[in-house]
Amino acid sequence: MKTKLLIIILLIGCTTLSCEDWLKETSGTEMDFPNQFKDESGFRDALTGVYLGMGDENLYSKNLTWHFIEFIAQQYAQISGMYNIYLLSYQYNENRVVPYIDNIWKEQYYLIANINNILFELEKRQDSVSPLFYKLMKGELLGLRAFCHFDLIRLYGYGNWSERTDLDSRYTIPYVTKYSKELTPQLSYVETFKLIESDLEEALELLKDDYIYGAHQDDENYYDGVDGNHWFFSNQRRYRMNYYAVRALQARTWLWEGSTDSKAKALTAAEEVIESKMWNWIDPRSLTNSNPDIRDMTFSNEHIFTVYISDLKDIIGVWFDASNPNATYERCFLTESRAKTVFETNKPENELDIRYLNLLERQGAGLLNYAPRKLIQSENNAQFGQRIPLIRISEMFYIAAECLTTGPNKNYPRAIEYLNAVREKRNITQPLNNDLDETEIMNEIKKEYMKEFVCEGQLFYFYKRQGLNQIADYLGEMTDKEYMLPYPVTEVIYGNRVQ
């Protein structure tokens, strides 16, 4: 099933239309899929294909979570002779690095093309699906389209938007809203961000009928109109692009934009997700259960949006085996120095931090290599394994804290309360003092990103959004050159793209 759906993605996908072969094959005709979208089940299968596509190794099952992006965040140790040494020094034009950058771009735009095709067919065949099905399907797709584009901007665009005054005149990545062979023009950062906002606002309005939002929870028959697909929109709903995932994505995008108005809106969005209670804090006992088949190492109860990877174990392989890293040079692990610095083990209150105690494993000579265990789960762990979180509730607490610290509604004590709430659930025994100033609070937020999101790919984005010139474990200065992945050469040559 997975192979079939991934083939569908490749058949109907294209990049931002610098793909000459695809243009030749489709010129003069519009592709149509009458059999694929003849009923609601066809749309269901196509949307499933999008989620499966997100699990591509070039995207969220590897490079945009625990591999490529964590290397450029300097999370992992440097091994002399390692294949990925060029990532740690930001040599983006080196032959070994270029395929990473090109494939991330290509696969993300494949997904976007697939999303746009489903949206096109959904509008064309609106009379053949139920009104409720239409709302849920379209809302989910629009949220996914915004998610994919936003990550492209975070990777290939400028960071530190709030400190830049020239983004209205600069072009960013193409925001593709139509399934077409026509070249999508680049727009300014301001114009492109408005497209993200528009997609998310429409998605949120449509998903007010979402099962998880509970607007019709008193009407047992309300969702019966989703012909035979009721289970599809309710099964594992809390992990998909549901109402609260869209709301969380709004918080993330508004914080990235960084204006005073956006930070106020980001705070409101983050607090709505926090107050929704659609999530639960991890029970630390589930990390040490004697039965490895029921250990919840990714804190799945805290997930707001998740990608499911059926073959995650095969994709990871031996990357997190740090017992003898010099055997192959290709390993992901923290040095002892970084692990102890990040988790502040010199402070007694941090000794029992569950992220340090349970999500890292000391390996190698002298037990000096700290291998991440977050994504290493038992083969039989069907309940909690095979999931990589893309948005977690802890991030909403951090966003709320940051907005209360640097936004228009400053409230330092309340920001500290949000940070202490997460720290308490991570078993840090000493709360932060209530008299921290803005600089001190932001430093604590940075430290939390370093602790919380190992193997999840969020630390690099934090550095970039803040425009930090210096980051941990990198001796050089961080500039746009280090923070911005270059566009693929084919995009620049054939698409006439400007970065």
mmCIF file of all heavy atoms in Angstrom, residues 31 62 64 79 87 96 147 159 176 216 254 284 290 297-298 319 413-414 416 425 436 459 462 467:
data_model
loop_
_atom_site.group_PDB
_atom_site.id
_atom_site.type_symbol
_atom_site.label_atom_id
_atom_site.label_comp_id
_atom_site.label_asym_id
_atom_site.label_seq_id
_atom_site.Cartn_x
_atom_site.Cartn_y
_atom_site.Cartn_z
ATOM 1 N N MET A 31 -3.266 16.977 -16.783
ATOM 2 C CA MET A 31 -3.378 15.627 -16.254
ATOM 3 C C MET A 31 -4.692 15.488 -15.497
ATOM 4 O O MET A 31 -5.124 16.386 -14.790
ATOM 5 C CB MET A 31 -2.195 15.331 -15.340
ATOM 6 C CG MET A 31 -0.861 15.404 -16.061
ATOM 7 S SD MET A 31 0.527 15.040 -14.972
ATOM 8 C CE MET A 31 0.314 13.287 -14.765
ATOM 9 N N LYS A 62 13.992 11.517 8.205
ATOM 10 C CA LYS A 62 15.445 11.571 8.380
ATOM 11 C C LYS A 62 15.985 12.998 8.325
ATOM 12 O O LYS A 62 16.283 13.595 9.342
ATOM 13 C CB LYS A 62 16.144 10.696 7.330
ATOM 14 C CG LYS A 62 17.658 10.573 7.526
ATOM 15 C CD LYS A 62 18.282 9.633 6.495
ATOM 16 C CE LYS A 62 19.779 9.506 6.718
ATOM 17 N NZ LYS A 62 20.412 8.641 5.683
ATOM 18 N N LEU A 64 14.992 16.122 7.780
ATOM 19 C CA LEU A 64 14.414 17.304 8.411
ATOM 20 C C LEU A 64 14.036 17.075 9.871
ATOM 21 O O LEU A 64 13.362 17.915 10.481
ATOM 22 C CB LEU A 64 13.194 17.786 7.620
ATOM 23 C CG LEU A 64 13.495 18.297 6.209
ATOM 24 C CD1 LEU A 64 12.252 18.883 5.559
ATOM 25 C CD2 LEU A 64 14.630 19.316 6.214
ATOM 26 N N ILE A 79 33.445 13.577 13.936
ATOM 27 C CA ILE A 79 34.389 12.465 13.861
ATOM 28 C C ILE A 79 35.332 12.725 12.700
ATOM 29 O O ILE A 79 34.887 12.997 11.582
ATOM 30 C CB ILE A 79 33.668 11.122 13.636
ATOM 31 C CG1 ILE A 79 32.531 10.940 14.642
ATOM 32 C CG2 ILE A 79 34.640 9.955 13.715
ATOM 33 C CD1 ILE A 79 31.623 9.776 14.320
ATOM 34 N N LEU A 87 28.797 19.161 6.456
ATOM 35 C CA LEU A 87 27.592 19.761 7.038
ATOM 36 C C LEU A 87 27.953 20.597 8.255
ATOM 37 O O LEU A 87 27.425 21.691 8.452
ATOM 38 C CB LEU A 87 26.595 18.675 7.444
ATOM 39 C CG LEU A 87 25.969 17.839 6.328
ATOM 40 C CD1 LEU A 87 25.007 16.813 6.927
ATOM 41 C CD2 LEU A 87 25.251 18.716 5.330
ATOM 42 N N ARG A 96 29.205 16.370 -1.680
ATOM 43 C CA ARG A 96 28.501 15.439 -0.802
ATOM 44 C C ARG A 96 27.273 16.085 -0.151
ATOM 45 O O ARG A 96 26.381 15.380 0.323
ATOM 46 C CB ARG A 96 29.444 14.936 0.302
ATOM 47 C CG ARG A 96 30.601 14.104 -0.212
ATOM 48 C CD ARG A 96 31.433 13.585 0.950
ATOM 49 N NE ARG A 96 32.557 12.775 0.503
ATOM 50 C CZ ARG A 96 33.404 12.139 1.316
ATOM 51 N NH1 ARG A 96 33.228 12.235 2.623
ATOM 52 N NH2 ARG A 96 34.393 11.427 0.844
ATOM 53 N N PHE A 147 2.302 24.137 5.915
ATOM 54 C CA PHE A 147 3.388 23.512 6.674
ATOM 55 C C PHE A 147 4.599 23.271 5.778
ATOM 56 O O PHE A 147 5.738 23.596 6.143
ATOM 57 C CB PHE A 147 2.896 22.187 7.266
ATOM 58 C CG PHE A 147 3.908 21.482 8.129
ATOM 59 C CD1 PHE A 147 3.945 21.699 9.501
ATOM 60 C CD2 PHE A 147 4.822 20.589 7.579
ATOM 61 C CE1 PHE A 147 4.873 21.055 10.301
ATOM 62 C CE2 PHE A 147 5.751 19.937 8.370
ATOM 63 C CZ PHE A 147 5.781 20.173 9.743
ATOM 64 N N GLY A 159 16.402 34.402 7.939
ATOM 65 C CA GLY A 159 15.902 34.325 9.301
ATOM 66 C C GLY A 159 15.861 35.706 9.921
ATOM 67 O O GLY A 159 16.121 36.717 9.263
ATOM 68 N N VAL A 176 3.417 27.775 -4.147
ATOM 69 C CA VAL A 176 2.662 27.171 -5.245
ATOM 70 C C VAL A 176 1.257 26.814 -4.766
ATOM 71 O O VAL A 176 1.093 26.012 -3.846
ATOM 72 C CB VAL A 176 3.368 25.917 -5.787
ATOM 73 C CG1 VAL A 176 2.646 25.378 -7.018
ATOM 74 C CG2 VAL A 176 4.828 26.236 -6.140
ATOM 75 N N HIS A 216 -19.256 19.666 17.690
ATOM 76 C CA HIS A 216 -20.515 18.918 17.551
ATOM 77 C C HIS A 216 -20.500 17.648 18.403
ATOM 78 O O HIS A 216 -21.143 16.659 18.063
ATOM 79 C CB HIS A 216 -20.745 18.557 16.083
ATOM 80 C CG HIS A 216 -20.716 19.744 15.174
ATOM 81 N ND1 HIS A 216 -21.779 20.606 15.023
ATOM 82 C CD2 HIS A 216 -19.728 20.231 14.372
ATOM 83 C CE1 HIS A 216 -21.458 21.560 14.153
ATOM 84 N NE2 HIS A 216 -20.218 21.360 13.756
ATOM 85 N N TRP A 254 3.701 32.833 13.119
ATOM 86 C CA TRP A 254 3.634 34.222 13.589
ATOM 87 C C TRP A 254 4.871 34.591 14.397
ATOM 88 O O TRP A 254 5.381 35.710 14.289
ATOM 89 C CB TRP A 254 2.373 34.446 14.412
ATOM 90 C CG TRP A 254 1.158 34.722 13.569
ATOM 91 C CD1 TRP A 254 1.095 35.480 12.434
ATOM 92 C CD2 TRP A 254 -0.180 34.265 13.814
ATOM 93 N NE1 TRP A 254 -0.196 35.514 11.948
ATOM 94 C CE2 TRP A 254 -1.002 34.780 12.771
ATOM 95 C CE3 TRP A 254 -0.770 33.479 14.800
ATOM 96 C CZ2 TRP A 254 -2.373 34.529 12.690
ATOM 97 C CZ3 TRP A 254 -2.135 33.230 14.731
ATOM 98 C CH2 TRP A 254 -2.921 33.750 13.686
ATOM 99 N N PRO A 284 6.630 9.663 33.375
ATOM 100 C CA PRO A 284 8.028 9.197 33.354
ATOM 101 C C PRO A 284 8.175 7.693 33.489
ATOM 102 O O PRO A 284 9.154 7.114 33.002
ATOM 103 C CB PRO A 284 8.656 9.931 34.553
ATOM 104 C CG PRO A 284 7.827 11.149 34.718
ATOM 105 C CD PRO A 284 6.427 10.737 34.370
ATOM 106 N N SER A 290 9.567 -2.062 32.274
ATOM 107 C CA SER A 290 10.359 -3.271 32.054
ATOM 108 C C SER A 290 10.073 -3.920 30.714
ATOM 109 O O SER A 290 10.894 -4.668 30.184
ATOM 110 C CB SER A 290 10.092 -4.282 33.177
ATOM 111 O OG SER A 290 8.703 -4.621 33.226
ATOM 112 N N MET A 297 9.045 6.713 24.233
ATOM 113 C CA MET A 297 10.256 7.525 24.254
ATOM 114 C C MET A 297 10.105 8.867 23.536
ATOM 115 O O MET A 297 10.902 9.770 23.755
ATOM 116 C CB MET A 297 11.422 6.740 23.650
ATOM 117 C CG MET A 297 11.644 5.375 24.287
ATOM 118 S SD MET A 297 12.050 5.465 26.039
ATOM 119 C CE MET A 297 13.793 5.853 25.957
ATOM 120 N N THR A 298 9.115 9.015 22.674
ATOM 121 C CA THR A 298 8.924 10.302 21.998
ATOM 122 C C THR A 298 7.846 11.149 22.671
ATOM 123 O O THR A 298 7.473 12.196 22.143
ATOM 124 C CB THR A 298 8.538 10.104 20.520
ATOM 125 O OG1 THR A 298 7.267 9.461 20.437
ATOM 126 C CG2 THR A 298 9.587 9.310 19.774
ATOM 127 N N TRP A 319 22.737 4.411 12.785
ATOM 128 C CA TRP A 319 23.178 5.793 12.974
ATOM 129 C C TRP A 319 23.312 6.164 14.443
ATOM 130 O O TRP A 319 24.147 6.984 14.811
ATOM 131 C CB TRP A 319 22.201 6.745 12.290
ATOM 132 C CG TRP A 319 22.493 6.950 10.837
ATOM 133 C CD1 TRP A 319 21.879 6.361 9.771
ATOM 134 C CD2 TRP A 319 23.491 7.816 10.272
ATOM 135 N NE1 TRP A 319 22.426 6.805 8.577
ATOM 136 C CE2 TRP A 319 23.405 7.696 8.857
ATOM 137 C CE3 TRP A 319 24.431 8.691 10.818
ATOM 138 C CZ2 TRP A 319 24.250 8.414 7.999
ATOM 139 C CZ3 TRP A 319 25.271 9.403 9.963
ATOM 140 C CH2 TRP A 319 25.170 9.262 8.579
ATOM 141 N N PRO A 413 6.899 37.183 34.843
ATOM 142 C CA PRO A 413 6.534 36.099 35.761
ATOM 143 C C PRO A 413 5.696 35.011 35.084
ATOM 144 O O PRO A 413 5.890 33.820 35.351
ATOM 145 C CB PRO A 413 5.755 36.821 36.860
ATOM 146 C CG PRO A 413 6.285 38.219 36.845
ATOM 147 C CD PRO A 413 6.545 38.510 35.401
ATOM 148 N N ARG A 414 4.768 35.435 34.235
ATOM 149 C CA ARG A 414 3.939 34.439 33.553
ATOM 150 C C ARG A 414 4.767 33.633 32.560
ATOM 151 O O ARG A 414 4.567 32.423 32.411
ATOM 152 C CB ARG A 414 2.790 35.151 32.831
ATOM 153 C CG ARG A 414 1.709 34.207 32.314
ATOM 154 C CD ARG A 414 0.468 34.982 31.955
ATOM 155 N NE ARG A 414 -0.286 34.321 30.892
ATOM 156 C CZ ARG A 414 -0.889 34.939 29.907
ATOM 157 N NH1 ARG A 414 -0.824 36.265 29.815
ATOM 158 N NH2 ARG A 414 -1.578 34.283 29.016
ATOM 159 N N ILE A 416 7.888 32.873 32.894
ATOM 160 C CA ILE A 416 8.669 31.941 33.715
ATOM 161 C C ILE A 416 7.785 30.782 34.182
ATOM 162 O O ILE A 416 8.239 29.629 34.267
ATOM 163 C CB ILE A 416 9.297 32.691 34.907
ATOM 164 C CG1 ILE A 416 10.342 33.684 34.385
ATOM 165 C CG2 ILE A 416 9.926 31.719 35.898
ATOM 166 C CD1 ILE A 416 10.801 34.688 35.422
ATOM 167 N N LYS A 425 7.690 18.946 34.580
ATOM 168 C CA LYS A 425 7.290 17.680 33.974
ATOM 169 C C LYS A 425 8.500 16.902 33.439
ATOM 170 O O LYS A 425 8.379 15.719 33.142
ATOM 171 C CB LYS A 425 6.287 17.922 32.859
ATOM 172 C CG LYS A 425 4.966 18.502 33.349
ATOM 173 C CD LYS A 425 4.317 17.603 34.398
ATOM 174 C CE LYS A 425 3.001 18.187 34.886
ATOM 175 N NZ LYS A 425 2.356 17.314 35.920
ATOM 176 N N LEU A 436 13.861 36.819 36.873
ATOM 177 C CA LEU A 436 14.731 36.840 35.697
ATOM 178 C C LEU A 436 14.350 37.991 34.784
ATOM 179 O O LEU A 436 13.170 38.330 34.636
ATOM 180 C CB LEU A 436 14.622 35.519 34.925
ATOM 181 C CG LEU A 436 14.978 34.227 35.668
ATOM 182 C CD1 LEU A 436 14.845 33.034 34.728
ATOM 183 C CD2 LEU A 436 16.375 34.299 36.256
ATOM 184 N N LEU A 459 16.025 22.955 16.749
ATOM 185 C CA LEU A 459 17.034 23.842 17.324
ATOM 186 C C LEU A 459 17.620 24.787 16.281
ATOM 187 O O LEU A 459 17.800 25.983 16.533
ATOM 188 C CB LEU A 459 18.146 23.024 17.976
ATOM 189 C CG LEU A 459 19.281 23.827 18.600
ATOM 190 C CD1 LEU A 459 18.758 24.758 19.696
ATOM 191 C CD2 LEU A 459 20.361 22.895 19.153
ATOM 192 N N PHE A 462 15.433 27.682 15.701
ATOM 193 C CA PHE A 462 15.469 28.647 16.805
ATOM 194 C C PHE A 462 16.652 29.580 16.637
ATOM 195 O O PHE A 462 16.513 30.810 16.745
ATOM 196 C CB PHE A 462 15.556 27.930 18.152
ATOM 197 C CG PHE A 462 15.690 28.875 19.323
ATOM 198 C CD1 PHE A 462 14.569 29.449 19.894
ATOM 199 C CD2 PHE A 462 16.936 29.204 19.829
ATOM 200 C CE1 PHE A 462 14.682 30.339 20.967
ATOM 201 C CE2 PHE A 462 17.066 30.097 20.891
ATOM 202 C CZ PHE A 462 15.939 30.659 21.453
ATOM 203 N N GLY A 467 18.505 34.917 14.866
ATOM 204 C CA GLY A 467 19.644 35.577 14.229
ATOM 205 C C GLY A 467 20.900 35.533 15.088
ATOM 206 O O GLY A 467 21.695 36.481 15.109
#
